[in-house]
Amino acid sequence: MTMPKVTNKSEAQIWARIIQPERNGLSPEAARSLLELTFSAEDVTRMNELAQKNRDGLLTRKERQELADYVRVGDALSLIHLKARKWLKN
């Protein structure tokens, strides 16, 4: 049997294939626990600072990488929250 070729390779798409919100059930307690995962207030402040600097065109290379890291973590967190919300609705 041959495996289908994966054409979507962004980090968020890879996480979506791993997490599969429509499969692999969670207990209500586990789902609620996953929904509590969030960025700290300090991280939110830093993301807002970086976003403003990005809008102003003032990001350094290091800051651009930091902002990209936050975006990737946020994408994965969104997928985890999606899975948890789906299982709480069941």
Side-chain angles (χ1 to χ4, degrees):
M1 175 192 283
T2 61
M3 297 295 292
K5 183 177 179 183
V6 174
T7 57
N8 297 325
K9 296 180 181 148
S10 76
E11 190 167 339
Q13 291 163 327
I14 294 166
W15 273 110
R17 287 192 298 274
I18 291 169
I19 294 171
Q20 299 181 17
E22 68 284 353
R23 294 182 49 200
N24 305 325
L26 294 171
S27 70
E29 296 80 21
R32 283 190 283 279
S33 180
L34 289 173
L35 287 173
E36 291 178 12
L37 298 174
T38 189
F39 289 104
S40 70
E42 293 84 8
D43 281 321
V44 171
T45 298
R46 181 61 178 156
M47 286 185 283
N48 289 332
E49 291 170 357
L50 292 169
Q52 184 61 53
K53 285 183 81 171
N54 187 49
R55 286 188 293 276
D56 295 340
L58 300 173
L59 282 181
T60 65
R61 184 183 318 196
K62 183 177 178 182
E63 289 170 330
R64 189 173 316 284
Q65 180 60 52
E66 183 181 2
L67 182 57
D69 291 343
Y70 275 117
V71 168
R72 283 191 300 277
V73 171
D75 287 345
L77 188 58
S78 292
L79 291 168
I80 291 167
H81 286 176
L82 173 64
K83 181 171 188 142
R85 283 191 302 275
K86 282 189 173 218
W87 280 102
L88 285 174
K89 287 181 182 180
N90 290 337

